[in-house]
Structure formats: structure tokens, C-alpha cells
Amino acid sequence: MKMEQPEIVDLADNGNGSGSETNKHIDLVSDDQSDSDPSQKTTLEEMEDFISIKEEEAPVNDDIGGDESMLPEYVPWFRPESLNHSPLVSLHNEILDFCDLIVPSPEEQELRNRTIEDCKAVILELFPDAEVVVFGSELTQLALPTSDIDLAALNVQEEPKKRHLHRVGAAFKGKGIIDYLEVIDSARIPIVKLRHKESQVHVDISFNQPSGLATGACVQRFMRKFPPVRPLLLVAKKFLQQRELNETYTGGVGSFLLQLMVVSFVQHHLRAAHRASRKFQYNLGALLVDFLELYGKTFNYINVGLSVRHNGTYFNKRQGGCFNAVRPGLICVENPEETETDVGRNSYRVMQVRRVFEHGYNRLVAALGQATTAAAGPRVGEARSLLAAVIYPDALLRARAGGGGGP
């Protein structure tokens, strides 16, 4: 579906006209070559109210952590030395500790690197002129321990009836380095799926599809520009994974869509901070709360689309040509590399995603409230993990810390 050039709406103004014209079009990052066109902008009052509109929702496991009193005593990323008298600072520290736990260890990364080299060798033996490149979460360094490795084989001579895919599959079987193989030749983007025997890492191989490199480079640029993006993404990714809402093919929010949602959120936070003449507060705890509130309670999925171009803008979905009358609540997110493409068009369970974000927000605010009203703030021996209100310490996380059911 072709997206028309939308009329850009600056929702950070809150529609009250309080922002000056100078502030309204400020560049958020000094080293960015802004392509913003101030004449395209309009006020919030000229479009429908920026309010949350709910659709009928199917049941979803949004209470993955259970009742707060049922949370396990052992939280593998929780360190008492990270506690602070401010619960939000404690949550900030917890998020950083969680990110340290969740990313691949040097030993795991070495295994992943060997997996990549083994796969490259098999493909290049068949197609000596090909170029095999990594993209996806491995490229952006946003891989979770269970993340697949995405490889693109470029400059491959394609054969009738997708025989080149089956040749690749047969070559891998012949080498004896895999213990799972599936050739998917009927998909819009045909791929070879396999699991490396030594590392047990899953690998998806596509052919002559260079677009993943451009989107990966785009995400890397945003992460360099906005330091909070990476830790927020790692938490949000695990949050959705635990609720089985992280795969596009099942209607969830895939990696690239989530990346753009986080980037957009941070862009608008920066703009709001500038307009309030205050320094942008780099507190991951506060940002996580606000992120869950935005996409769980505030964002108008029916009427508003988002773009990370022009330093972050919202636009009217109908004007942008991405309104779906059958599924009006689909999130509309412009692909910054292919601006005619709506990244959210296949995420048909996004209303369930909205619901779990809302539930996560309520749980996290409740946990923060309890910590705030404690007589002397969090204390070692009494304190409990705040992040565990939204991220359940599952078996994988416990195993990564070398724990079973307890410390």
C-alpha cells in the first residue's frame, strides 16, 4: 500500500498554542541534517483529539508475572548495591543491570560469530561471487540470548522454482553442521531456516534482499544519537517476548517496528524537554514508565501515525493514506528508509500489545508508589525488584545468572 505524503502534526505542542514558533521547529540534535519543512506543520487543534481509543480485544497473557505477592524471591539482575533513595534511580540502575545480564556474553558471542562464519563458508562454496552479510539484531547489537541470526546472501544467481534455496539447504545438510532445516520458498521473501548444531543458534538466510542493511544502519544511527534507545529496546523486547507478542508473523510488534516506536518516543521526549526549557532527563526508570503510558494509555492508534523523520513527527493516518477501515486500530509507522512503506501494517494484534503495555504501566506505577511511601525508601533486606513488576525472572534469565530457583 502506497503511503501518501502526510501532513505533519506536531503533537508535542499539546494543542494549547503555548509553544513559540521558534521552539516548534527546533532541531533536536545539532549534528542532524534536518529535512523538516515548517510549512507542512499544523496544530493539534486542526485534527482529531489525541486520545486513546480502544477496540475489542482478544484475551492475552498480560499478567506474566502474576500477582505482586507471587513474584519470586530470586531476581537474577537485581543487586542491592544498585538501590538508591529515589525509586526511579533504583529502577534506572536495575534496567542497566538487566541489560548487562541479557546481552550475549563474550563466550556466547564467540559461538554466534563461529555460526556466522560456518554459514558464510557453506554459501560461498556454492556461490563464490556472493556477498554474505549480517543484518537484524546481530547487526544492531540488540540480540537477546535466544535471538536468531539474520543473514542476507547478495549477488546470488536465482534459479527457477527457487532451486537455489533447496541447493543451499542440501549443502548445509551435507556438511553435518545443522540439526534443523526448513526451506520456505513460498513466502514473499523466501528464506532458509536452520539451527547450528554446535551453538544451537537459529539462522534465517534470505537472498538478494539488501534492505535489511539499510534499516540496520538507520537504527544504529539513532542509537548513537539517543543513548536511552538501546536499553529501552532491550527491556521492551523482552517484555513483548515473554507475552508472545514480539513476532510480526503472528500479528505482534516485530523488532524494526518496536525500534521505531522507541525512537519516536525518545524524540518527542526531547522536544517536550526543550519546550519546557529544561534539560532532558536521562533516567531510564522514568522513560520506561512514560513509554508504557504513551503506547498503553495515551496514543491514539486509530487516528495518528508516527514518523521518525523530521526529528520525530505524528500525522493523521487518513491524510497519510495508511488508515485501514477493516482494522482501524493498526499502528501506522512510516519506514524512514522506504517512506511509502507502513511498518505496522501487519501487526494486527497491536491492540493486545496496547493492553499489555497499559497493564505493565499500572503494575510499574504501583511498585514505584509502594517504594516511594516506604518509611526510609528501599532498604537492603527489605527491597524488592521494581523491574520484576514488568519483566518476569524466567528460567532463561535465572540460568544466565547461574541461578536455579534461588540465589
Side-chain angles (χ1 to χ4, degrees):
M1 176 181 61
K2 183 175 180 179
M3 290 180 62
E4 300 173 4
Q5 179 61 36
E7 186 174 14
I8 300 171
V9 179
D10 188 356
L11 295 183
D13 190 23
N14 290 326
N16 58 14
S18 59
S20 69
E21 195 65 19
T22 301
N23 287 348
K24 187 173 293 186
H25 311 302
I26 195 77
D27 285 344
L28 299 181
V29 182
S30 59
D31 64 347
D32 181 48
Q33 298 297 315
S34 174
D35 54 355
S36 175
D37 181 0
S39 66
Q40 288 184 313
K41 300 205 174 187
T42 184
T43 65
L44 176 62
E45 293 170 345
E46 295 177 44
M47 67 177 293
E48 291 151 298
D49 291 338
F50 185 57
I51 58 174
S52 176
I53 299 180
K54 302 179 182 179
E55 288 187 333
E56 292 296 322
E57 300 159 346
V60 65
N61 184 13
D62 57 1
D63 201 15
I64 197 76
D67 184 84
E68 187 174 348
S69 63
M70 300 292 289
L71 286 175
E73 293 297 323
Y74 177 55
V75 178
W77 65 82
F78 181 66
R79 299 186 306 131
E81 55 266 36
S82 293
L83 291 172
N84 186 277
H85 67 278
S86 164
L88 280 174
V89 174
S90 294
L91 180 56
H92 171 96
N93 294 337
E94 258 200 86
I95 291 171
L96 294 177
D97 291 337
F98 172 82
C99 293
D100 288 340
L101 176 69
I102 201 69
V103 297
S105 66
E107 295 76 19
E108 289 171 323
Q109 191 58 55
E110 176 59 28
L111 268 179
R112 295 176 74 87
N113 291 342
R114 287 211 300 270
T115 299
I116 292 169
E117 292 307 313
D118 284 351
C119 291
K120 282 185 176 181
V122 173
I123 296 169
L124 292 175
E125 187 175 323
L126 278 179
F127 305 104
D129 296 329
E131 179 186 6
V132 183
V133 294
V134 176
F135 67 101
S137 61
E138 195 71 19
L139 173 64
T140 57
Q141 297 184 323
L142 290 166
L144 300 180
T146 56
S147 293
D148 297 349
I149 292 174
D150 295 303
L151 296 179
L154 308 177
N155 304 320
V156 171
Q157 183 65 44
E158 298 191 18
E159 301 170 7
K161 299 183 179 180
K162 311 294 182 184
R163 281 198 291 265
H164 58 290
L165 275 78
H166 295 277
R167 286 179 60 202
V168 169
F172 272 103
K173 288 173 67 176
K175 294 293 183 182
I177 61 173
I178 62 172
D179 57 13
Y180 169 81
L181 175 71
E182 183 179 3
V183 177
I184 304 176
D185 58 9
S186 59
R188 186 176 64 87
I189 299 178
I191 60 172
V192 174
K193 297 176 72 73
L194 58 88
R195 183 172 60 213
H196 191 261
K197 186 182 295 184
E198 179 190 7
S199 66
Q200 289 297 289
V201 173
H202 289 261
V203 181
D204 289 350
I205 306 170
S206 61
F207 297 84
N208 300 326
Q209 294 290 329
S211 59
L213 292 175
T215 57
C218 172
V219 172
Q220 287 179 312
R221 288 195 302 271
F222 282 123
M223 288 195 300
R224 286 194 297 268
K225 196 171 290 188
F226 308 126
V229 165
R230 184 171 183 267
L232 285 175
L233 271 171
L234 289 171
V235 172
K237 234 181 137 173
K238 184 63 177 178
F239 178 91
L240 291 177
Q241 182 194 69
Q242 289 189 329
R243 292 152 180 85
E244 300 181 346
L245 288 168
N246 62 316
E247 298 287 358
T248 303
Y249 70 87
T250 60
V253 171
S255 293
F256 188 42
L257 174 55
L258 182 63
Q259 289 158 7
L260 295 177
M261 291 170 69
V262 171
V263 168
S264 172
F265 162 75
V266 173
Q267 287 174 323
H268 285 284
H269 244 273
L270 279 166
R271 178 174 292 141
H274 176 85
R275 290 192 175 168
S277 300
R278 57 179 170 79
K279 186 178 179 181
F280 176 63
Q281 187 158 359
Y282 179 15
N283 180 291
L284 293 172
L287 289 173
L288 178 59
V289 171
D290 290 348
F291 173 82
L292 294 172
E293 181 181 29
L294 173 64
Y295 292 114
K297 296 173 71 70
T298 309
F299 191 78
N300 183 344
Y301 289 84
I302 289 181
N303 296 318
V304 178
L306 63 88
S307 169
V308 297
R309 295 189 305 136
H310 311 292
N311 292 320
T313 56
Y314 294 127
F315 58 86
N316 187 301
K317 284 170 63 174
R318 290 175 177 82
Q319 293 176 2
C322 59
F323 181 80
N324 185 323
V326 177
R327 287 180 170 150
L330 283 177
I331 189 168
C332 176
V333 179
E334 178 194 71
N335 185 333
E337 297 300 312
E338 301 173 3
T339 57
E340 294 181 351
T341 302
D342 174 12
V343 182
R345 66 190 182 280
N346 294 322
S347 296
Y348 57 85
R349 296 174 68 196
V350 74
M351 285 294 102
Q352 295 179 41
V353 173
R354 185 209 61 77
R355 178 179 164 185
V356 298
F357 279 154
E358 180 180 25
H359 186 75
Y361 168 79
N362 292 335
R363 284 179 60 87
L364 192 54
V365 168
L368 286 165
Q370 289 183 359
T372 301
T373 56
R379 292 189 292 273
V380 176
E382 295 181 6
R384 303 180 66 184
S385 167
L386 294 167
L387 187 59
V390 291
I391 300 292
Y392 187 71
D394 56 30
L396 175 63
L397 293 173
R398 294 196 300 272
R400 292 188 65 72

